[in-house]
Amino acid sequence: GAVVSQHPSWVICKSGTSVKIECRSLDFQATTMFWYRQFPKQSLMLMATSNEGSKATYEQGVEKDKFLINHASLTLSTLTVTSAHPEDSSFYICSAGGTGPYEQYFGPGTRLTVT
Amino acid sequence: DAKTTQPTSMDCAEGRAANLPCNHSTISGNEYVYWYRQIHSQGPQYIIHGLKNNETNEMASLIITEDRKSSTLILPHATLRDTAVYYCIVESTGNQFYFGTGTSLTVIP
């Protein structure tokens, strides 16, 4: 089946620094990728939709200048959390859409802790 | 926003069928019903999806009411490894999933 990977699986960074999270579709091409954020004991919240070669579409309330998304190829999307603060500490999950209208495959998630 | 409502939590005895309900009274004609589950600190795992007809795969069965306003996910023989949060999602073709609160299923030995 389709596999989506994320790197790193966990990261600790200091407040004020930036951190990049990679999302890769390993065995299929994904024209669309999605980024979610999940706080402890809460559900997943869609942050943005990224399409290969175009600007990402952000959900209401998500700061596009803080969460930079790049989808430069059909197998890679990156999320950069800029000037991270402790409140950005969360579990970040990506997913990739396949060729069918109902295919979406999730990555294993990245645990970000900002100290 | 999520278009579904689910009970917050449920328990099920190991080996018995787990029936997880979901209400989606505002579902549109072209929207599918998806079920995913999330085991602690992992990404969501696809279980099953359907449009109008009941569906079955190796993991579960999905029963959708005739008016499509609700559905039930059935795990026929629950095991301890089925303990997870189960999410019911309705979506058309954009693949933008808006997750609700889900149902935390605990399988009891």
Side-chain angles (χ1 to χ4, degrees), chain A residues 74-99:
Chain A
L74 288 172
T75 59
L76 173 64
S77 176
T78 60
L79 168 69
T80 301
V81 183
T82 63
S83 187
H85 289 123
E87 56 264 33
D88 298 323
S89 298
S90 188
F91 192 49
Y92 292 86
I93 305 169
C94 73
S95 70
T99 56

PDB file of all heavy atoms in Angstrom, chain A residues 74-99:
ATOM      1  N   LEU A  74       6.411  16.145  -6.574  1.00  0.00           N
ATOM      2  CA  LEU A  74       5.230  15.304  -6.378  1.00  0.00           C
ATOM      3  C   LEU A  74       5.407  14.303  -5.238  1.00  0.00           C
ATOM      4  O   LEU A  74       4.482  13.559  -4.927  1.00  0.00           O
ATOM      5  CB  LEU A  74       4.902  14.552  -7.674  1.00  0.00           C
ATOM      6  CG  LEU A  74       4.331  15.418  -8.791  1.00  0.00           C
ATOM      7  CD1 LEU A  74       4.221  14.626 -10.082  1.00  0.00           C
ATOM      8  CD2 LEU A  74       2.965  15.974  -8.414  1.00  0.00           C
ATOM      9  N   THR A  75       6.588  14.283  -4.625  1.00  0.00           N
ATOM     10  CA  THR A  75       6.804  13.339  -3.528  1.00  0.00           C
ATOM     11  C   THR A  75       7.268  14.008  -2.242  1.00  0.00           C
ATOM     12  O   THR A  75       7.508  13.318  -1.254  1.00  0.00           O
ATOM     13  CB  THR A  75       7.859  12.283  -3.933  1.00  0.00           C
ATOM     14  OG1 THR A  75       9.078  12.960  -4.262  1.00  0.00           O
ATOM     15  CG2 THR A  75       7.383  11.467  -5.123  1.00  0.00           C
ATOM     16  N   LEU A  76       7.375  15.333  -2.236  1.00  0.00           N
ATOM     17  CA  LEU A  76       7.910  15.991  -1.048  1.00  0.00           C
ATOM     18  C   LEU A  76       7.187  17.294  -0.756  1.00  0.00           C
ATOM     19  O   LEU A  76       7.042  18.156  -1.621  1.00  0.00           O
ATOM     20  CB  LEU A  76       9.398  16.282  -1.232  1.00  0.00           C
ATOM     21  CG  LEU A  76      10.079  17.115  -0.129  1.00  0.00           C
ATOM     22  CD1 LEU A  76      10.065  16.362   1.205  1.00  0.00           C
ATOM     23  CD2 LEU A  76      11.509  17.467  -0.538  1.00  0.00           C
ATOM     24  N   SER A  77       6.743  17.420   0.482  1.00  0.00           N
ATOM     25  CA  SER A  77       6.228  18.686   0.987  1.00  0.00           C
ATOM     26  C   SER A  77       6.934  18.959   2.313  1.00  0.00           C
ATOM     27  O   SER A  77       7.218  18.031   3.073  1.00  0.00           O
ATOM     28  CB  SER A  77       4.719  18.621   1.209  1.00  0.00           C
ATOM     29  OG  SER A  77       4.235  19.832   1.793  1.00  0.00           O
ATOM     30  N   THR A  78       7.250  20.224   2.551  1.00  0.00           N
ATOM     31  CA  THR A  78       7.901  20.578   3.815  1.00  0.00           C
ATOM     32  C   THR A  78       7.089  21.629   4.553  1.00  0.00           C
ATOM     33  O   THR A  78       6.468  22.508   3.931  1.00  0.00           O
ATOM     34  CB  THR A  78       9.326  21.108   3.593  1.00  0.00           C
ATOM     35  OG1 THR A  78       9.274  22.278   2.766  1.00  0.00           O
ATOM     36  CG2 THR A  78      10.202  20.056   2.942  1.00  0.00           C
ATOM     37  N   LEU A  79       7.108  21.530   5.863  1.00  0.00           N
ATOM     38  CA  LEU A  79       6.483  22.507   6.746  1.00  0.00           C
ATOM     39  C   LEU A  79       7.581  23.094   7.610  1.00  0.00           C
ATOM     40  O   LEU A  79       8.294  22.347   8.297  1.00  0.00           O
ATOM     41  CB  LEU A  79       5.430  21.839   7.623  1.00  0.00           C
ATOM     42  CG  LEU A  79       4.880  22.664   8.798  1.00  0.00           C
ATOM     43  CD1 LEU A  79       4.039  23.832   8.283  1.00  0.00           C
ATOM     44  CD2 LEU A  79       4.037  21.787   9.728  1.00  0.00           C
ATOM     45  N   THR A  80       7.750  24.396   7.538  1.00  0.00           N
ATOM     46  CA  THR A  80       8.738  25.071   8.377  1.00  0.00           C
ATOM     47  C   THR A  80       8.014  25.922   9.403  1.00  0.00           C
ATOM     48  O   THR A  80       7.228  26.805   9.032  1.00  0.00           O
ATOM     49  CB  THR A  80       9.679  25.954   7.536  1.00  0.00           C
ATOM     50  OG1 THR A  80      10.358  25.138   6.568  1.00  0.00           O
ATOM     51  CG2 THR A  80      10.714  26.628   8.428  1.00  0.00           C
ATOM     52  N   VAL A  81       8.271  25.630  10.653  1.00  0.00           N
ATOM     53  CA  VAL A  81       7.727  26.439  11.739  1.00  0.00           C
ATOM     54  C   VAL A  81       8.770  27.511  12.050  1.00  0.00           C
ATOM     55  O   VAL A  81       9.877  27.201  12.514  1.00  0.00           O
ATOM     56  CB  VAL A  81       7.439  25.590  12.990  1.00  0.00           C
ATOM     57  CG1 VAL A  81       6.807  26.450  14.081  1.00  0.00           C
ATOM     58  CG2 VAL A  81       6.532  24.414  12.643  1.00  0.00           C
ATOM     59  N   THR A  82       8.449  28.749  11.747  1.00  0.00           N
ATOM     60  CA  THR A  82       9.413  29.832  11.923  1.00  0.00           C
ATOM     61  C   THR A  82       9.241  30.481  13.290  1.00  0.00           C
ATOM     62  O   THR A  82       8.128  30.557  13.823  1.00  0.00           O
ATOM     63  CB  THR A  82       9.245  30.891  10.832  1.00  0.00           C
ATOM     64  OG1 THR A  82       7.942  31.469  10.949  1.00  0.00           O
ATOM     65  CG2 THR A  82       9.399  30.271   9.451  1.00  0.00           C
ATOM     66  N   SER A  83      10.377  30.927  13.847  1.00  0.00           N
ATOM     67  CA  SER A  83      10.368  31.594  15.148  1.00  0.00           C
ATOM     68  C   SER A  83       9.457  30.841  16.126  1.00  0.00           C
ATOM     69  O   SER A  83       8.462  31.381  16.628  1.00  0.00           O
ATOM     70  CB  SER A  83       9.916  33.042  14.989  1.00  0.00           C
ATOM     71  OG  SER A  83      10.053  33.755  16.195  1.00  0.00           O
ATOM     72  N   ALA A  84       9.823  29.611  16.347  1.00  0.00           N
ATOM     73  CA  ALA A  84       8.963  28.731  17.153  1.00  0.00           C
ATOM     74  C   ALA A  84       8.844  29.228  18.593  1.00  0.00           C
ATOM     75  O   ALA A  84       9.800  29.764  19.171  1.00  0.00           O
ATOM     76  CB  ALA A  84       9.511  27.315  17.127  1.00  0.00           C
ATOM     77  N   HIS A  85       7.676  29.032  19.153  1.00  0.00           N
ATOM     78  CA  HIS A  85       7.398  29.362  20.549  1.00  0.00           C
ATOM     79  C   HIS A  85       6.884  28.109  21.242  1.00  0.00           C
ATOM     80  O   HIS A  85       6.413  27.165  20.578  1.00  0.00           O
ATOM     81  CB  HIS A  85       6.358  30.481  20.646  1.00  0.00           C
ATOM     82  CG  HIS A  85       6.881  31.804  20.207  1.00  0.00           C
ATOM     83  ND1 HIS A  85       6.293  32.539  19.205  1.00  0.00           N
ATOM     84  CD2 HIS A  85       7.957  32.533  20.618  1.00  0.00           C
ATOM     85  CE1 HIS A  85       6.963  33.657  19.019  1.00  0.00           C
ATOM     86  NE2 HIS A  85       7.978  33.671  19.862  1.00  0.00           N
ATOM     87  N   PRO A  86       6.952  28.061  22.561  1.00  0.00           N
ATOM     88  CA  PRO A  86       6.469  26.871  23.274  1.00  0.00           C
ATOM     89  C   PRO A  86       5.044  26.480  22.916  1.00  0.00           C
ATOM     90  O   PRO A  86       4.724  25.288  22.876  1.00  0.00           O
ATOM     91  CB  PRO A  86       6.583  27.292  24.743  1.00  0.00           C
ATOM     92  CG  PRO A  86       7.739  28.236  24.764  1.00  0.00           C
ATOM     93  CD  PRO A  86       7.638  28.999  23.471  1.00  0.00           C
ATOM     94  N   GLU A  87       4.198  27.443  22.593  1.00  0.00           N
ATOM     95  CA  GLU A  87       2.812  27.102  22.232  1.00  0.00           C
ATOM     96  C   GLU A  87       2.696  26.418  20.881  1.00  0.00           C
ATOM     97  O   GLU A  87       1.621  25.925  20.520  1.00  0.00           O
ATOM     98  CB  GLU A  87       1.912  28.349  22.261  1.00  0.00           C
ATOM     99  CG  GLU A  87       2.394  29.486  21.390  1.00  0.00           C
ATOM    100  CD  GLU A  87       3.201  30.509  22.165  1.00  0.00           C
ATOM    101  OE1 GLU A  87       3.897  30.122  23.115  1.00  0.00           O
ATOM    102  OE2 GLU A  87       3.137  31.698  21.798  1.00  0.00           O
ATOM    103  N   ASP A  88       3.804  26.393  20.117  1.00  0.00           N
ATOM    104  CA  ASP A  88       3.812  25.651  18.852  1.00  0.00           C
ATOM    105  C   ASP A  88       4.120  24.173  19.079  1.00  0.00           C
ATOM    106  O   ASP A  88       4.064  23.374  18.131  1.00  0.00           O
ATOM    107  CB  ASP A  88       4.856  26.229  17.894  1.00  0.00           C
ATOM    108  CG  ASP A  88       4.546  27.674  17.521  1.00  0.00           C
ATOM    109  OD1 ASP A  88       3.352  27.997  17.359  1.00  0.00           O
ATOM    110  OD2 ASP A  88       5.500  28.482  17.397  1.00  0.00           O
ATOM    111  N   SER A  89       4.469  23.820  20.288  1.00  0.00           N
ATOM    112  CA  SER A  89       4.727  22.420  20.598  1.00  0.00           C
ATOM    113  C   SER A  89       3.465  21.610  20.319  1.00  0.00           C
ATOM    114  O   SER A  89       2.385  21.919  20.832  1.00  0.00           O
ATOM    115  CB  SER A  89       5.124  22.257  22.068  1.00  0.00           C
ATOM    116  OG  SER A  89       6.321  22.951  22.341  1.00  0.00           O
ATOM    117  N   SER A  90       3.611  20.591  19.497  1.00  0.00           N
ATOM    118  CA  SER A  90       2.437  19.840  19.059  1.00  0.00           C
ATOM    119  C   SER A  90       2.890  18.619  18.271  1.00  0.00           C
ATOM    120  O   SER A  90       4.086  18.407  18.043  1.00  0.00           O
ATOM    121  CB  SER A  90       1.545  20.732  18.192  1.00  0.00           C
ATOM    122  OG  SER A  90       0.317  20.106  17.896  1.00  0.00           O
ATOM    123  N   PHE A  91       1.931  17.844  17.851  1.00  0.00           N
ATOM    124  CA  PHE A  91       2.156  16.692  16.981  1.00  0.00           C
ATOM    125  C   PHE A  91       1.706  17.126  15.582  1.00  0.00           C
ATOM    126  O   PHE A  91       0.545  17.500  15.393  1.00  0.00           O
ATOM    127  CB  PHE A  91       1.319  15.520  17.503  1.00  0.00           C
ATOM    128  CG  PHE A  91       1.642  14.178  16.913  1.00  0.00           C
ATOM    129  CD1 PHE A  91       2.941  13.721  16.832  1.00  0.00           C
ATOM    130  CD2 PHE A  91       0.629  13.343  16.457  1.00  0.00           C
ATOM    131  CE1 PHE A  91       3.248  12.472  16.312  1.00  0.00           C
ATOM    132  CE2 PHE A  91       0.918  12.087  15.932  1.00  0.00           C
ATOM    133  CZ  PHE A  91       2.219  11.658  15.861  1.00  0.00           C
ATOM    134  N   TYR A  92       2.636  17.123  14.644  1.00  0.00           N
ATOM    135  CA  TYR A  92       2.328  17.559  13.284  1.00  0.00           C
ATOM    136  C   TYR A  92       2.259  16.337  12.374  1.00  0.00           C
ATOM    137  O   TYR A  92       3.180  15.516  12.349  1.00  0.00           O
ATOM    138  CB  TYR A  92       3.379  18.550  12.781  1.00  0.00           C
ATOM    139  CG  TYR A  92       3.326  19.876  13.514  1.00  0.00           C
ATOM    140  CD1 TYR A  92       4.021  20.063  14.706  1.00  0.00           C
ATOM    141  CD2 TYR A  92       2.559  20.927  13.033  1.00  0.00           C
ATOM    142  CE1 TYR A  92       3.953  21.269  15.387  1.00  0.00           C
ATOM    143  CE2 TYR A  92       2.482  22.135  13.712  1.00  0.00           C
ATOM    144  CZ  TYR A  92       3.177  22.291  14.895  1.00  0.00           C
ATOM    145  OH  TYR A  92       3.095  23.486  15.570  1.00  0.00           O
ATOM    146  N   ILE A  93       1.160  16.235  11.647  1.00  0.00           N
ATOM    147  CA  ILE A  93       0.915  15.068  10.805  1.00  0.00           C
ATOM    148  C   ILE A  93       0.655  15.535   9.382  1.00  0.00           C
ATOM    149  O   ILE A  93      -0.092  16.494   9.165  1.00  0.00           O
ATOM    150  CB  ILE A  93      -0.302  14.262  11.309  1.00  0.00           C
ATOM    151  CG1 ILE A  93      -0.116  13.868  12.780  1.00  0.00           C
ATOM    152  CG2 ILE A  93      -0.528  13.019  10.452  1.00  0.00           C
ATOM    153  CD1 ILE A  93      -1.386  13.301  13.394  1.00  0.00           C
ATOM    154  N   CYS A  94       1.261  14.860   8.427  1.00  0.00           N
ATOM    155  CA  CYS A  94       0.968  15.169   7.038  1.00  0.00           C
ATOM    156  C   CYS A  94       0.199  14.005   6.415  1.00  0.00           C
ATOM    157  O   CYS A  94       0.202  12.890   6.934  1.00  0.00           O
ATOM    158  CB  CYS A  94       2.237  15.446   6.239  1.00  0.00           C
ATOM    159  SG  CYS A  94       3.219  13.967   5.892  1.00  0.00           S
ATOM    160  N   SER A  95      -0.461  14.304   5.350  1.00  0.00           N
ATOM    161  CA  SER A  95      -1.100  13.252   4.569  1.00  0.00           C
ATOM    162  C   SER A  95      -0.943  13.590   3.095  1.00  0.00           C
ATOM    163  O   SER A  95      -0.734  14.755   2.724  1.00  0.00           O
ATOM    164  CB  SER A  95      -2.573  13.089   4.929  1.00  0.00           C
ATOM    165  OG  SER A  95      -3.319  14.198   4.479  1.00  0.00           O
ATOM    166  N   ALA A  96      -1.030  12.580   2.276  1.00  0.00           N
ATOM    167  CA  ALA A  96      -0.865  12.765   0.843  1.00  0.00           C
ATOM    168  C   ALA A  96      -2.042  12.150   0.110  1.00  0.00           C
ATOM    169  O   ALA A  96      -2.483  11.044   0.447  1.00  0.00           O
ATOM    170  CB  ALA A  96       0.439  12.129   0.376  1.00  0.00           C
ATOM    171  N   GLY A  97      -2.552  12.885  -0.869  1.00  0.00           N
ATOM    172  CA  GLY A  97      -3.652  12.377  -1.665  1.00  0.00           C
ATOM    173  C   GLY A  97      -3.145  11.595  -2.849  1.00  0.00           C
ATOM    174  O   GLY A  97      -2.160  11.980  -3.484  1.00  0.00           O
ATOM    175  N   GLY A  98      -3.795  10.495  -3.154  1.00  0.00           N
ATOM    176  CA  GLY A  98      -3.412   9.698  -4.302  1.00  0.00           C
ATOM    177  C   GLY A  98      -4.161  10.135  -5.548  1.00  0.00           C
ATOM    178  O   GLY A  98      -4.665  11.251  -5.617  1.00  0.00           O
ATOM    179  N   THR A  99      -4.257   9.242  -6.496  1.00  0.00           N
ATOM    180  CA  THR A  99      -4.882   9.610  -7.766  1.00  0.00           C
ATOM    181  C   THR A  99      -6.396   9.535  -7.701  1.00  0.00           C
ATOM    182  O   THR A  99      -7.075  10.205  -8.475  1.00  0.00           O
ATOM    183  CB  THR A  99      -4.381   8.674  -8.887  1.00  0.00           C
ATOM    184  OG1 THR A  99      -4.642   7.323  -8.494  1.00  0.00           O
ATOM    185  CG2 THR A  99      -2.900   8.860  -9.113  1.00  0.00           C
TER     186      THR A  99
END
